[in-house]
Amino acid sequence: MGGAFVAAAVLARLGSRIGLPTIPLFILAGILLGPNTPGFVLLDDPHDLEMLSALGLVLLLFYLGLEFHMDDLKTGGKKMAIAGCFYLLLNVGAGLAFGFMMGWGTSEAFVFAGVLGISSSAIVTKILVDLGRIGNPETKPILGIIVVEDIFLAMYLAALQPIISGADDLAETAGQIGKAFAFLLLLALAARFGTKVIGKLFATKDNELLVISFLGAAVLVAGISEKFGVADAIGAFMVGLILGNTASGSRIRDLVHPLRDAFAAIFFFGFGLSIDPGDIGSVIVPVLIAVVITLAMNLTAGIVAARIYGFGPQPTANVGTTLLARGEFALILATMAATAGLDPRLSPFIASYVLILAVLAPLVAGRSHWVARILPGGRGPDQEAERQPEEVSASR
């Protein structure tokens, strides 16, 4: 664990000197020190960091929930739902069509739909934090799309398992989806009506007690969420949403920062450990096609979201490029596909696709002003002047 932290820190410091974001560097550290590349191997088994990586994902999404206010849902919930559903329609639909085009099988096509369709909540959150865009107007639809994706994810995983395993028990599938929905409804009711009561439970002047309390709540609810078929990430997000609207919300946001940053680094390092660069060559052509499709669908979704919210070219580019990354969910699907005995080409395809987008997304998002120039309404070089001051500072 110490070696992982040091390796991630050294590469990130070197990368910051030439303006590279931290996410691909943390992943690169995992690849270089993992079992799939020659030279020194820090960890033979990526599962050795599995619990710490899970904690990194939980804290990233918990922080995202802290920044997502109930007022945003009350005033803009309909717009967020429309933008999120359209994003899923475009990307999941494109992934399903791509899967059938590959001709690897029907079950494989449904796996492709999820891989190409769902953004990485962890990478999206880290990009927003690194680029200083949490307070930007276009961040609200980005977070809204992430929430819709996570809700869809709960249903998708419940429905996908019997499809890829060849089961035909519709009653069991419906029961799993119903259980996941019931738990999501319970969390939503707690967020809507339980904030005052929960706020009193967490009210304390002692920072140590507050850290233990919110960390315990986030991890516990995340774990319970998995038992009900809901992604652990959305459970942590809902806890953050609830606590962010209490009187202790601002203190929790300050206290969670070092925890979030430390364990997020381990999450991305562990992500790199699981990737074998040698697999890329065998599937590079379909991977590059999938990357182009994803980029096109994300920019289209960004344009639609901009029309819904009345944004200009720069926020439009921010929406499309920030949501580009694919990550933890795609790797879950790769594991499910391997367990179910699906086409063996799926695993190297997913690993290569995720690696390329995990590296590409932060780079493109940090230079979204270039993308803004080619969008409708872009004004060429003058567009640079419209960038948010915090974005300029972060990119430097």
Side-chain angles (χ1 to χ4, degrees):
M1 181 179 170
F5 276 124
V6 171
V10 169
L11 275 180
R13 288 175 71 89
L14 292 174
S16 66
R17 298 181 178 227
I18 54 176
L20 290 178
T22 58
I23 294 172
L25 295 169
F26 291 156
I27 295 173
L28 179 62
I31 293 173
L32 293 177
L33 296 177
N36 300 311
T37 52
F40 176 72
V41 177
L42 182 65
L43 282 167
D44 290 312
D45 187 358
H47 293 293
D48 288 344
L49 289 180
E50 187 172 12
M51 183 62 71
L52 296 175
S53 296
L55 184 57
L57 178 61
V58 164
L59 288 172
L60 278 169
L61 270 294
F62 173 72
Y63 176 78
L64 193 62
L66 289 172
E67 295 290 346
F68 199 83
H69 301 290
M70 286 301 298
D71 291 341
D72 297 334
L73 284 176
K74 293 174 184 176
T75 59
K78 184 177 179 180
K79 289 182 178 180
M80 290 179 186
I82 294 173
C85 288
F86 196 87
Y87 183 91
L88 285 172
L89 181 65
L90 278 176
N91 286 274
V92 174
L96 187 62
F98 176 78
F100 282 118
M101 182 187 75
M102 292 298 296
W104 292 1
T106 300
S107 295
E108 286 80 358
F110 279 98
V111 173
F112 276 121
V115 171
L116 271 66
I118 307 294
S119 304
S120 168
S121 301
I123 297 179
V124 168
T125 306
K126 192 69 166 61
I127 289 173
L128 291 172
V129 171
D130 286 353
L131 296 181
R133 292 179 181 170
I134 287 290
N136 284 16
E138 71 274 9
T139 297
K140 290 182 180 180
I142 291 173
L143 300 186
I145 290 171
I146 289 294
V147 171
V148 172
E149 282 187 321
D150 283 340
I151 294 172
F152 171 79
L153 178 58
M155 298 184 293
Y156 187 79
L157 284 176
L160 184 64
Q161 184 60 54
I163 291 174
I164 66 175
S165 62
D168 54 2
D169 190 346
L170 295 179
E172 183 180 352
T173 301
Q176 291 175 347
I177 294 175
K179 186 172 66 173
F181 255 118
F183 187 72
L184 282 172
L185 180 61
L186 180 64
L187 291 177
L189 290 173
R192 178 67 180 85
F193 300 107
T195 303
K196 290 185 179 180
V197 174
I198 294 172
K200 291 179 181 178
L201 295 175
F202 282 81
T204 175
K205 295 181 180 179
D206 190 320
N207 283 345
E208 180 183 10
L209 291 178
L210 185 58
V211 169
I212 294 171
S213 299
F214 74 69
L215 186 60
V219 176
L220 178 62
V221 174
I224 294 173
S225 297
E226 282 199 323
K227 295 295 183 182
F228 281 87
V230 177
D232 54 359
I234 194 172
F237 174 88
M238 293 302 292
V239 175
L241 178 64
I242 295 168
L243 296 183
N245 289 278
T246 65
S248 304
S250 59
R251 286 174 59 211
I252 293 174
R253 273 187 282 272
D254 292 336
L255 292 170
V256 79
H257 279 180
L259 292 169
R260 178 204 69 196
D261 292 340
F263 288 100
I266 293 296
F267 172 81
F268 293 114
F269 182 88
F271 184 67
L273 289 175
S274 65
I275 292 175
D276 186 352
D279 290 337
I280 296 178
S282 62
V283 290
I284 190 62
V285 173
V287 165
L288 292 178
I289 294 173
V291 167
V292 171
I293 291 173
T294 304
L295 181 58
M297 292 300 102
N298 271 261
L299 290 179
T300 304
I303 292 172
V304 172
R307 293 289 176 87
I308 294 172
Y309 284 85
F311 291 147
Q314 184 59 58
T316 300
N318 290 348
V319 173
T321 56
T322 303
L323 290 165
L324 183 61
R326 302 296 187 261
E328 60 280 357
F329 175 58
L331 297 181
I332 291 171
L333 287 179
T335 303
M336 290 175 64
T339 304
L342 299 188
D343 194 303
R345 291 172 291 182
L346 268 178
S347 292
F349 171 89
I350 293 173
S352 305
Y353 171 76
V354 166
L355 175 60
I356 290 173
L357 283 181
V359 173
L360 184 64
L363 296 174
V364 174
R367 292 155 181 80
S368 60
H369 54 288
W370 294 351
V371 178
R373 297 174 187 175
I374 64 174
L375 293 176
R379 298 200 299 268
D382 293 337
Q383 194 71 34
E384 178 75 17
E386 295 184 10
R387 298 176 68 199
Q388 297 289 337
E390 62 267 27
E391 289 182 41
V392 176
S393 176
S395 65
R396 285 176 180 170

